[in-house]
Structure formats: C-alpha cells, structure tokens
C-alpha cells in the first residue's frame, strides 16, 4: 500500500509572495454580496431580486467573505450553485447590488477554465 500525501503550501513561499499590503488588511472584502448575471436590460430591480434563477438570469445572494494576505480561499459547490458568478463579480464582469460592499486591494488576476470535449479519438 502506498501512502497518499496531502498537498501543502510551503510557508516560505507564502511569506515571499510580493505584497503591497504589509499591514495584514484584507485584500478582498465582500459584505452583503448580491450578484446578478444575465440580461440586466429587462428592468431588473434589486429590490425585488431573490437568489436563484429567473427568466432573465441568475442571482447569488448572501455572500460575505474577507481574504487577508497569505490566506487561501476556495469557493466550492455543486454545478450551478454560483461559484463562477461570485468570481465574475470580483473581477467586475457582472452586476453587483448597490447594497453590496466589494473591495479589492491590489491586483486581481483570473484564468477561467473552459470545458473542452473532443468528439474524436486521441492517438
């Protein structure tokens, strides 16, 4: 039997990451997060919006998080639960409720994953 090792993050790597935020203030803050993806030209009002899907798009509500330097955050959940919606809100690609506090301090980079299905044989 072979022992499986758990991936770890070396403390030296984390401490050597460049940071313009040396005072341990959060790099990312989301309070009262409500994000909407879809067609926003359909007179969608934030007042009447609830979590989930409607005829025009998808809403994620109740997101609160804070990420400090050196912390790692994983956003996990089943298919269609809003993981990509949260990421797209952080990078400014979708609508954010006026009551949402979304602050990023520093640079944000994102490389999306796109499913690739090859309908052929790989030799």
């Amino acid at each position: 039997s072979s022992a499986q090792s758990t991936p770890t993050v070396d403390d030296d790597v984390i401490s050597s990451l460049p940071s313009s935020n040396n005072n341990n203030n959060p790099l990312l803050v989301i309070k009262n997060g409500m994000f909407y993806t879809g067609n926003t030209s359909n007179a969608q009002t934030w007042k009447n919006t609830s979590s989930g899907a409607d005829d025009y798009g998808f809403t994620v509500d109740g997101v609160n998080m804070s990420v400090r330097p050196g912390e790692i955050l994983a956003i996990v959940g089943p298919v269609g639960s809003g993981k990509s919606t949260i990421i797209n809100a952080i990078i400014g690609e979708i609508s954010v409720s006026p009551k949402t506090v979304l602050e990023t301090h520093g640079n944000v980079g994102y490389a999306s994953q796109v499913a690739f299905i090859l309908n052929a044989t790989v030799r």
Side-chain angles (χ1 to χ4, degrees):
S1 83
S2 65
Q4 290 185 350
S5 65
T6 303
T8 60
V9 176
D10 189 342
D11 289 336
D12 293 334
V13 172
I14 293 295
S15 64
S16 68
L17 291 174
S19 174
S20 60
N21 186 348
N22 294 326
N23 57 8
N24 206 31
N25 288 335
L27 298 171
L28 169 67
V29 174
I30 300 175
K31 294 179 186 173
N32 303 316
M34 179 182 258
F35 315 118
Y36 181 78
T37 180
N39 188 348
T40 56
S41 65
N42 290 312
Q44 177 80 15
T45 62
W46 288 106
K47 193 183 311 179
N48 300 326
T49 303
S50 60
S51 290
D54 62 20
D55 291 339
Y56 307 110
F58 185 82
T59 303
V60 175
D61 188 17
V63 178
N64 293 289
M65 67 175 75
S66 175
V67 181
R68 296 188 180 281
E71 291 182 335
I72 297 172
L73 172 71
I75 300 175
V76 298
V79 172
S81 62
K83 302 176 297 291
S84 295
T85 301
I86 294 170
I87 298 297
N88 283 322
I90 292 169
I91 64 173
E93 292 294 315
I94 63 170
S95 298
V96 176
S97 163
K99 294 182 180 181
T100 296
V101 174
L102 194 156
E103 299 174 358
T104 57
H105 303 280
N107 297 323
V108 175
Y110 174 62
S112 67
Q113 180 179 0
V114 178
F116 178 75
I117 301 172
L118 182 63
N119 190 19
T121 301
V122 177
R123 295 179 188 223

